[in-house]
Amino acid sequence: MLKKISAAALAAAAVAMTFAGPAHAETNPSCSSGVTQMGATKYIKSGSTTIASVKQFKGCGKNWGYIYVWDSWRADHRTYSIFAGVQVRGAEFPSGYNRAENKQELWSYGTDTLSKCTKGYGSIQAASYGGGVETEERC
């Protein structure tokens, strides 16, 4: 009986980890001294399914937008574009806008906007989906 409980507990833990947030540490390739997240993570959803995480960071004297596409969505979508940027209050378009094809994560280009009110921006475009989110504003 103990083995059955242990096996069931392991199976439940595996399922829980599958549906939890992505377990990874963000490493900005353009800021070797490290970055600090600003504000809460926002999530891109398709219906009730979470497909990506969007964050804003500061580091190296700049702001950075960041997007991470979840494994569960990538498993069914091999062709898509992701976008990351920093939305400055009052600006029409995100600053530091960066784009990648079929990648799991993407950093925006660093922006000299630490003295401004900003939001992290991320979006996904695929044949079956298009949408994005901004994080809350940080001033």
Side-chain angles (χ1 to χ4, degrees), residues 102-114:
N102 310 317
K103 299 284 185 185
Q104 184 150 37
E105 68 177 344
L106 179 67
W107 289 89
S108 71
Y109 296 106
T111 63
D112 294 321
T113 55
L114 286 175

Side-chain angles (χ1 to χ4, degrees), residues 1 13 17-18 41 84 97 99 108 119 127 134:
M1 176 121 182
M17 289 191 323
T18 300
T41 303
Y97 199 66
R99 174 185 178 176
S108 71
K119 301 176 183 181
E134 296 176 342

Side-chain angles (χ1 to χ4, degrees), residues 10-118:
L10 287 174
V15 169
M17 289 191 323
T18 300
F19 294 106
H24 69 284
E26 300 87 357
T27 302
N28 185 317
S30 299
C31 181
S32 61
S33 64
V35 293
T36 302
Q37 184 171 344
M38 300 171 61
T41 303
K42 290 289 189 168
Y43 299 97
I44 300 174
K45 295 187 175 234
S46 177
S48 62
T49 303
T50 302
I51 64 176
S53 305
V54 175
K55 301 178 181 185
Q56 180 180 197
F57 292 88
K58 64 179 178 179
C60 297
K62 299 182 184 294
N63 283 93
W64 308 85
Y66 175 82
I67 183 171
Y68 180 89
V69 182
W70 287 27
D71 290 334
S72 54
W73 192 80
R74 281 176 46 107
D76 295 328
H77 299 83
R78 293 292 176 205
T79 304
Y80 59 91
S81 300
I82 57 175
F83 306 86
V86 175
Q87 184 64 48
V88 177
R89 182 191 289 173
E92 187 174 356
F93 299 107
S95 299
Y97 199 66
N98 197 4
R99 174 185 178 176
E101 301 295 320
N102 310 317
K103 299 284 185 185
Q104 184 150 37
E105 68 177 344
L106 179 67
W107 289 89
S108 71
Y109 296 106
T111 63
D112 294 321
T113 55
L114 286 175
S115 63
K116 299 179 179 176
C117 295
T118 58

